[in-house]
Amino acid sequence: MRWLMVTTLSGLLLFSLTGCWNKAELIEFAFVQAVSVDLSDNGKIRLTTLFYKPSGSSALSKGTGTKSSFTIKTEGENVFDAIRDITIHLGRKAKWDHMRAILVSDKVLETQDLGIILDFFRRDHEPRPTNLLLVTKGNAGEYLKLEPFIEYTLGQQLRSMDEGSSRFAAKSMNQNILKVMIQMKSETGVTTIPYLYLDNKRGNVPNIAGVVIIHKQKLAETIPPSELKAFLLLTHQYKTGIITSTCEGDDGDGSPALQESFEVSQGSTKITTSLTNNAVNVNVTTKLIGAAGELSCSSVKTAEEEQAYQTRLNNQVKKEILTFLQHLQAKKLDAIGIGNMVYAKNPRLWQAWKDDWDDRFADVQFHIHVDVTVTNSGMSGGDPLNK
């Protein structure tokens, strides 16, 4: 009898589970690949949203004449207002779960706070906090017209470019919305974002190289690619890259000076701060391990020659780090987080220094020590081939 009652009740419960309370069909949504943020002539937010166009696998093959994406432009008083206007053009609701990149024009950040631009993308439940964030030179919407080189979607192409530039060339950094929000809430509040621009000298090829510094939520300065190696070392983000150095001496024939390359396979930096006499001293110790990539004038066959080669590399890296730090101090921009270290060591002292920290950072004394280890000279021996 008990078995019959249990079976009957279970059957009745099954009838209550047959309905769908939140049904949504695939044809109700359009999936976003990337989005750009610009300002219109009347000061409103102008969004250019790149959507994936589901046209079958044949549409992804080159030569079919069918594009796998399209853009919709909308304007609004703020980001969310512009997003909701997408449906009046498209007839579908924008779906943000699979978005790969957010592009913000540098012109926007000259007048608008970064937090105002990003608030929707961090507050809404659909956009992922790991979305790539880029600042563009000029109109951000124009970059969404580019065709991907090797990836199927432009959003993924931009992510691959940023990862490759950071991992192999040391000319960009991996940055996303979550990391930016953490930096914005730090004691110094200084944020760094990768820079996207078109190389006019090479047929408007897109480049992700360099970093923009956001201070007080506005664009303050741009770090060029030539200084980014030092920035990545000082912020513990350096993976691999190339150190180029100029050969000493001049033949006197007017020809360009010879250049050499050293490939770094491992890099680490230790930064410590000391507070003495109401001043901040910073000790920077950088260790690099790698191999000779190109030799034009150096020979590394003997221990003495290898030591001389390492000394030249040490001086080159130290010079690059000092040049970068002088650039930051001249602009009074603590983009490497020294203020955060002071706060962690002495929170009470930091509260007294916080308001005028920009001026104090300009007077910080840096002591740089670089140690380069050469593991081998490659497959051609210790002499350059031009000898």
Side-chain angles (χ1 to χ4, degrees):
M1 185 66 178
R2 178 179 294 179
W3 178 84
L4 181 61
M5 292 177 61
V6 171
T7 304
T8 303
L9 290 174
S10 300
L12 292 174
L13 289 173
L14 288 175
F15 284 106
S16 65
L17 300 176
T18 56
C20 296
W21 66 273
N22 191 24
K23 179 178 69 68
E25 299 291 343
L26 187 62
I27 58 174
E28 297 177 10
F29 300 110
F31 292 90
V32 178
Q33 294 182 30
V35 65
S36 66
V37 183
D38 293 290
L39 288 180
S40 64
D41 295 336
N42 55 5
K44 291 186 176 182
I45 295 295
R46 174 182 293 167
L47 288 187
T48 303
T49 310
L50 184 69
F51 291 94
Y52 174 71
K53 185 176 183 180
S55 303
S57 59
S58 61
L60 300 179
S61 302
K62 294 186 179 298
T64 60
T66 305
K67 289 188 175 182
S68 61
S69 61
F70 62 93
T71 58
I72 296 290
K73 292 186 178 182
T74 54
E75 291 184 12
E77 298 296 334
N78 51 40
V79 173
F80 206 174
D81 186 31
I83 286 175
R84 280 304 170 93
D85 276 356
I86 291 175
T87 187
I88 67 177
H89 304 289
L90 187 58
R92 296 189 182 189
K93 184 177 182 295
K95 194 70 170 158
W96 301 87
D97 309 70
H98 301 281
M99 181 174 60
R100 309 297 284 169
I102 300 172
L103 282 60
V104 182
S105 170
D106 54 0
K107 302 300 181 184
V108 174
L109 296 179
E110 290 176 358
T111 57
Q112 299 284 329
D113 286 355
L114 177 63
I116 292 176
I117 302 301
L118 295 182
D119 192 85
F120 165 80
F121 299 106
R122 189 65 186 96
R123 190 175 302 278
D124 193 81
H125 67 283
E126 286 189 1
R128 301 180 184 182
T130 55
N131 278 320
L132 171 66
L133 181 62
L134 297 171
V135 172
T136 67
K137 182 178 181 180
N139 192 312
E142 294 298 315
Y143 292 85
L144 296 185
K145 297 179 181 180
L146 301 172
E147 293 292 332
F149 290 114
I150 193 168
E151 306 292 348
Y152 283 133
T153 66
L154 181 62
Q156 184 59 38
Q157 180 68 57
L158 292 174
R159 286 185 70 98
S160 298
M161 290 167 60
D162 180 67
E163 291 172 1
S165 181
S166 171
R167 181 180 178 185
F168 302 112
K171 291 187 177 180
S172 184
M173 61 181 295
N174 287 324
Q175 191 67 295
N176 55 46
I177 296 178
L178 180 59
K179 293 179 182 179
V180 168
M181 291 294 178
I182 293 174
Q183 289 181 345
M184 290 172 62
K185 293 181 180 295
S186 68
E187 290 299 314
T188 59
V190 178
T191 305
T192 50
I193 304 175
Y195 196 40
L196 172 63
Y197 61 94
L198 296 178
D199 191 340
N200 298 325
K201 296 181 180 179
R202 296 174 175 83
N204 288 333
V205 176
N207 288 353
I208 297 181
V211 166
V212 298
I213 301 176
I214 308 297
H215 184 44
K216 296 180 180 179
Q217 303 217 22
K218 297 286 196 310
L219 193 151
E221 185 66 13
T222 301
I223 302 175
S226 59
E227 297 183 14
L228 206 65
K229 186 191 303 100
F231 168 75
L232 295 177
L233 283 170
L234 292 170
T235 55
H236 312 288
Q237 300 181 75
Y238 191 88
K239 297 180 176 65
T240 61
I242 302 296
I243 300 173
T244 58
S245 58
T246 303
C247 294
E248 298 177 356
D250 187 359
D251 294 336
D253 57 358
S255 60
L258 296 177
Q259 301 287 327
E260 294 188 325
S261 298
F262 178 78
E263 182 180 14
V264 180
S265 57
Q266 297 180 41
S268 63
T269 299
K270 182 180 180 180
I271 300 178
T272 58
T273 60
S274 60
L275 310 176
T276 55
N277 299 325
N278 207 32
V280 180
N281 290 278
V282 179
N283 294 309
V284 179
T285 302
T286 296
K287 295 184 178 181
L288 301 174
I289 301 175
E294 286 181 287
L295 294 177
S296 300
C297 55
S298 299
S299 178
V300 289
K301 296 180 66 175
T302 66
E304 292 77 10
E305 290 174 340
E306 182 176 325
Q307 182 61 45
Y309 181 58
Q310 289 183 169
T311 300
R312 187 149 60 86
L313 291 173
N314 290 340
N315 294 335
Q316 176 67 27
V317 176
K318 183 177 180 179
K319 178 182 177 182
E320 292 183 13
I321 292 176
L322 286 174
T323 299
F324 172 68
L325 290 173
Q326 290 170 1
H327 182 179
L328 291 183
Q329 290 186 295
K331 297 294 183 178
K332 299 181 179 180
L333 294 171
D334 182 9
I336 57 177
I338 301 300
N340 297 330
M341 298 179 189
V342 174
Y343 168 73
K345 180 170 289 188
N346 194 328
R348 181 176 296 180
L349 179 63
W350 171 253
Q351 294 304 320
W353 284 4
K354 185 174 182 178
D355 291 340
D356 62 345
W357 173 248
D358 294 341
D359 294 325
R360 289 182 179 274
F361 175 74
D363 296 327
V364 170
Q365 296 296 316
F366 287 93
H367 309 279
I368 314 298
H369 176 73
V370 179
D371 182 15
V372 177
T373 300
V374 181
T375 57
N376 62 80
S377 58
M379 299 181 63
S380 297
D383 279 333
L385 289 179
N386 66 338
K387 287 188 178 181

